[in-house]
Amino acid sequence: MLPLPILLFALAAPPTATAARCTTPPAIDGALGEPAWAAAQWSTGFVLAGNDVQPGPAAVQTRFKVLYDDQAAYVAVECDEPAIDQLKAVTPWRDGAVWQDDCVEIFFDPAGEGRYYHHLLVNARGTIYDDYNADYGMVHSKLWNGDYRAAGRIDAAARKWSIEVALPYGALVLPASAGATWKFNVTRERQAAGATELTTWAPLRGNFHQPKLFGTLTGLPTDYRAFRWTLGEPQVDVNRSGSGWATLTLRLPAKNETGAAQRVTASAEVLDQPGQKVQAEPVELAAGAEQTLKLPDLRVRGATEANLIFALRDPAGKLLKAVVKGLATDTKPLSIRLLRPCYRNNIYAGEALREIVFEAQMSAGVRQATAKVAFLLSDAAGKPLARGTAVVAATAKPLSLAAANLAIGTYTLSLTALGAGGKEVATATAPVRKLPPPDRGDEVRIDEHRRILVNGKPVFNIGWYGGIPDADPRPDVVALQDLMTPDVIYPPKSESIGERFRAHGVRTVASVENGRYLYAFNLWQQGKEELRKVCDEWHALTEPSDDMRRLTKEMVDCVRGEPGLLGYYIADEPEIHDVQSAYLENYYKLLCELDPYHPVVVTNDTIDGIVTHGCKCADILNPDPYNSDWDYVPNFLKKVNEVGAVGKAIQVTLWHSASDTHMTQDYGTGRPYPYRVFRNQYLASVAYGAMGFTAYTSAFFMPEPEYRYGLPHVWRELRVLEPAIVAPPPAATVTV
């Protein structure tokens, strides 16, 4: 029989708190003496939490209150602290290691479903760390930022400290099911006692990220339609002066999904530079309308990146939507974007290319000073091969240079912006390589139609993340599947790739992830810390170490000649695993040099991750949109199409969930999606340009009747459609 404390814990119902309405919002200063707070009731009764403790009342208690009005919810938390002189409040910067301080954590799910939820940490200084979470606490989108305000206050005489937080509805993810009842929890990490003590309002089993076990917050607004706005990826043009200031020309796509016409004003503000803010003229957007809003130029100082708060407000100043976006602010006065060749700036042996086509991209300042552009293709010795000029107005369309019959080698495309009288304004160059056929293995590349080509032939792959269930007794079903990702290879053995391809026609994406090298090279057995460090270096470094470069070359040399190798798997959901984007960009460049004949694949769990990591470090973007909502998969792929350059392909890892083969019911996993849902996901993905699938994961296939019998029907549909999917789009025709 279970010990009595654990048995009582298991039977305990989640606690409930009620939010109180306020007419005047509290000042966010950490002090809780304002009249507004008197209307709200304290919720307390915190219990111990953690994997190694039995649940029981916390000796040092915590309490909280919640207020709300038409614009935001407000949370106050008060913490008793007998050792107030030992209170730890070190972290001063946003998204720093707040969890290492004495802090409180606020968890809330406005939909009340216990799957997707916001997570916010605040220490006694008012420093914020926040993220957005999914899949029952297993996924933490650390790059997500909310436009929150917080403050802390220490009362040494009373031996307590407190925080206040404002949660504007416009800064939250509010699904259609959001209503008056939220799943909600407040937890505390106490450090002042010397050892970390974890306590929680809602009793939990193990860690804090268990949304199905959160308590309930009631009494909140029922209608959030006014906040249903979508803000797209900002467009930014940068001009930097010698003083260290950069001027940003900003455009912000906005879509009105509120169901009613609305007059709005857009603004942009630098998160850590108070006063650096610009505001656009008001515009009227009809229900369902989408428009790109131009903002006045914004000046930022310092680094080559800036966090900006983009916001929409109504005529009364009410916040309707706010997002925090990290933008690069380094100067690119003039640059070249190659359209043909579109893939890695390489011309392949199987590619018939008669001309080089490119775009001249100019900052606003350069464009204003430019009368015409001159462009030149030269060989490695600097000998001119082709040249041309265009007036600046003509650069709105692609430019081209003849490039037929180029010999194998490296070339340079140069672009010069010329002002009045032929004065040079800016220059840019781009390398172009003509490659021979591969000395071994296949030539795999992406074309201008985002198709994946193997030896010049477009392919459409269907398979699994983790392995192909080739033990299926239905050979016709096995034959429908031909892709596996990722595969951990153990150098110098790589025969499994070729054997899998010869036996079943299955192509393989080989793993080159840092963490998997621990096993691929048996680093866990060697005990050489200088080698084992490569597994974690992408959290701290901006480029691969010499050891990582050596191991990666060994891996690439091992597998690149195998028939059936499709490419390399560089990272799994890097945006939620605290991986440096710059590291992956440089790692990608290394892989391109080591093997120009096989693409690099990345999986992204979040839409923001496609922008921050995916497009920068891979040729095949492989999002894994795990949600059954009808528009969830399309929204992911719309973002790939929006920000992914020509020459980037799309594969999709769809979620095939099963409670008895993956997660337990405690974490909220239900039965597999019904047939109509996963069929819609496959067909919607194809409609948005997907060129393959690696569903997660094959362990769910045979045990689940929905998949064992339903998926082959979908795959057969896709195979019937395959010729149309991989065919190039028809040329546009004009009839007069």
Side-chain angles (χ1 to χ4, degrees):
M1 183 174 176
L2 290 173
L4 183 58
I6 296 179
L7 181 61
L8 292 175
F9 164 80
L11 298 175
T16 298
T18 302
R21 185 173 181 84
C22 62
T23 54
T24 302
I28 304 302
D29 57 9
L32 310 181
E34 295 169 270
W37 286 117
Q41 298 296 314
W42 287 114
S43 293
T44 188
F46 278 57
V47 297
L48 298 173
N51 292 316
D52 301 324
V53 301
Q54 290 188 1
V60 177
Q61 273 297 316
T62 309
R63 61 200 69 86
F64 69 89
K65 294 181 175 184
V66 181
L67 295 172
Y68 76 95
D69 58 19
D70 292 336
Q71 298 194 50
Y74 309 92
V75 182
V77 184
E78 189 175 73
C79 305
D80 296 336
E81 184 46 73
I84 196 71
D85 55 333
Q86 299 177 49
L87 188 73
K88 185 178 179 183
V90 175
T91 307
W93 55 87
R94 173 117 185 193
D95 286 342
V98 178
W99 57 88
Q100 294 180 359
D101 292 338
D102 281 272
C103 66
V104 295
E105 304 189 32
I106 303 170
F107 300 79
F108 56 98
D109 165 22
E113 296 169 350
R115 182 171 185 187
Y116 297 93
Y117 59 95
H118 299 75
H119 175 215
L120 175 71
L121 288 77
V122 185
N123 65 12
R125 302 171 64 128
T127 303
I128 291 173
Y129 169 94
D130 65 333
D131 55 26
Y132 186 68
N133 299 268
D135 295 333
Y136 320 104
M138 299 203 316
V139 170
H140 310 296
S141 182
K142 298 178 180 180
L143 298 172
W144 191 91
N145 283 295
D147 183 19
Y148 304 136
R149 289 178 293 122
R153 182 162 297 202
I154 301 171
D155 187 342
R159 296 191 176 277
K160 62 184 180 182
W161 61 278
S162 58
I163 62 143
E164 282 179 293
V165 184
L167 308 173
Y169 306 134
L172 309 183
V173 179
L174 293 169
S177 53
T181 300
W182 296 5
K183 279 196 168 295
F184 191 85
N185 196 27
V186 177
T187 65
R188 178 178 172 186
E189 296 196 41
R190 181 172 178 245
Q191 312 287 354
T196 302
E197 180 182 270
L198 306 178
T199 59
T200 174
W201 176 59
L204 303 173
R205 294 193 283 272
N207 65 52
F208 289 161
H209 291 267
Q210 298 177 44
K212 286 290 183 180
L213 301 180
F214 290 171
T216 300
L217 178 63
T218 65
L220 291 157
T222 58
D223 187 357
Y224 299 99
R225 283 176 294 180
F227 307 99
R228 302 203 190 287
W229 290 83
T230 298
L231 299 183
E233 201 59 32
Q235 303 164 17
V236 59
D237 190 15
V238 183
N239 282 290
R240 186 173 285 276
S241 68
S243 64
W245 286 83
T247 300
L248 310 184
T249 300
L250 301 165
R251 291 173 176 82
L252 180 67
K255 185 175 183 180
N256 180 358
E257 298 177 302
T258 66
Q262 178 69 66
R263 190 169 180 80
V264 296
T265 301
S267 66
E269 181 178 7
V270 184
L271 184 63
D272 56 354
Q273 295 179 20
Q276 295 304 117
K277 180 178 180 179
V278 293
Q279 184 170 296
E281 293 296 321
V283 296
E284 183 88 15
L285 266 72
E290 188 169 4
Q291 183 175 335
T292 298
L293 310 178
K294 186 180 185 307
L295 292 122
D297 288 351
L298 175 66
R299 297 184 73 218
V300 300
R301 66 174 181 269
T304 57
E305 293 185 355
N307 288 316
L308 269 58
I309 305 170
F310 292 93
L312 293 181
R313 297 182 184 272
D314 70 8
K318 178 180 179 180
L319 179 67
L320 303 176
K321 190 67 178 180
V323 296
V324 179
K325 294 286 187 179
L327 300 181
T329 60
D330 53 337
T331 308
K332 295 181 180 178
L334 182 66
S335 61
I336 298 170
R337 182 190 181 200
L338 281 172
L339 301 178
R340 285 197 297 273
C342 67
Y343 179 63
R344 294 186 176 180
N345 291 19
N346 294 338
I347 303 171
Y348 287 83
E351 185 175 12
L353 190 73
R354 302 191 62 82
E355 61 180 6
I356 292 173
V357 182
F358 61 96
E359 289 180 345
Q361 299 180 328
M362 290 179 270
S363 68
V366 168
R367 181 171 292 277
Q368 187 175 14
T370 299
K372 67 177 182 179
V373 295
F375 38 97
L376 170 71
L377 183 68
S378 55
D379 64 15
K383 178 183 177 182
L385 302 177
R387 65 175 74 237
T389 61
V391 297
V392 69
T395 62
K397 296 181 179 180
L399 306 171
S400 63
L401 278 173
N405 303 317
L406 289 179
I408 292 169
T410 301
Y411 301 85
T412 300
L413 176 61
S414 304
L415 179 66
T416 305
L418 301 171
K423 182 180 179 181
E424 183 179 297
V425 177
T427 62
T429 61
V432 179
R433 289 194 302 176
K434 177 69 179 287
L435 296 176
D439 57 351
R440 54 196 177 103
D442 297 321
E443 176 192 278
V444 187
R445 62 183 176 89
I446 317 300
D447 73 2
E448 64 270 26
H449 306 302
R450 297 182 185 256
R451 300 180 302 175
I452 302 170
L453 306 183
V454 178
N455 298 326
K457 181 181 178 181
V459 298
F460 180 81
N461 297 118
I462 301 170
W464 294 90
Y465 185 101
I468 292 290
D470 53 18
D472 190 321
R474 301 166 294 178
D476 59 317
V477 172
V478 174
L480 291 168
Q481 306 161 69
D482 56 6
L483 180 62
M484 171 186 168
T485 184
D487 189 14
V488 180
I489 303 298
Y490 302 88
K493 297 180 179 180
S494 62
E495 299 84 0
S496 59
I497 297 176
E499 292 169 357
R500 191 181 295 121
F501 181 70
R502 284 185 286 269
H504 299 291
V506 173
R507 293 187 172 88
T508 298
V509 178
S511 174
V512 290
E513 297 171 88
N514 292 53
R516 296 181 193 260
Y517 277 7
L518 183 69
Y519 307 100
F521 291 97
N522 295 323
L523 302 181
W524 63 282
Q525 290 181 326
Q526 295 182 34
K528 297 179 179 178
E529 290 307 313
E530 68 275 13
L531 287 179
R532 296 184 62 160
K533 288 177 182 177
V534 304
C535 301
D536 298 314
E537 69 181 32
W538 57 5
H539 299 300
L541 302 184
T542 57
E543 62 181 59
S545 65
D546 289 343
D547 283 330
M548 185 66 184
R549 290 174 182 272
R550 176 174 55 79
L551 293 174
T552 300
K553 184 178 186 305
E554 185 177 337
M555 177 67 75
V556 170
D557 287 344
C558 173
V559 303
R560 66 188 297 258
E562 288 289 345
L565 177 70
L566 188 74
Y568 302 100
Y569 192 76
I570 193 172
D572 183 75
E573 302 171 340
E575 70 272 20
I576 65 172
H577 291 122
D578 201 23
V579 175
Q580 297 284 333
S581 178
Y583 183 96
L584 288 183
E585 291 177 57
N586 287 312
Y587 191 17
Y588 169 70
K589 292 174 184 176
L590 171 65
L591 290 165
C592 291
E593 289 299 319
L594 292 175
D595 185 354
Y597 299 102
H598 292 94
V600 175
V601 183
V602 67
T603 294
N604 291 116
D605 177 79
T606 67
I607 290 179
D608 281 347
I610 292 168
V611 179
T612 59
H613 290 68
C615 289
K616 299 179 180 180
C617 71
D619 308 300
I620 299 177
L621 302 174
N622 192 165
D624 53 1
Y626 297 161
N627 189 295
S628 60
D629 292 347
W630 68 270
D631 61 346
Y632 197 76
V633 170
N635 282 335
F636 261 75
L637 300 194
K638 282 167 64 178
K639 178 58 68 173
V640 176
N641 286 312
E642 176 187 341
V643 302
V646 175
K648 302 282 188 185
I650 305 172
Q651 289 181 170
V652 184
T653 292
L654 296 173
W655 171 252
H656 292 324
S657 163
S659 60
D660 56 351
T661 55
H662 189 50
M663 303 178 207
T664 67
Q665 192 64 36
D666 290 339
Y667 288 100
T669 303
R671 300 301 301 170
Y673 295 155
Y675 176 80
R676 61 178 175 80
V677 171
F678 61 74
R679 179 175 180 265
N680 173 71
Q681 291 182 333
Y682 276 94
L683 296 180
S685 297
V686 169
Y688 279 91
M691 285 292 156
F693 297 91
T694 52
Y696 188 83
T697 177
S698 58
F700 301 150
F701 180 50
M702 295 303 288
E704 296 294 345
E706 290 92 336
Y707 296 145
R708 184 165 67 251
Y709 298 111
L711 278 173
H713 287 290
V714 178
W715 297 337
R716 291 185 186 101
E717 281 187 281
L718 295 175
R719 291 302 182 200
V720 170
L721 295 171
E722 183 174 351
I725 294 170
V726 301
T733 58
V734 178
T735 303
V736 179

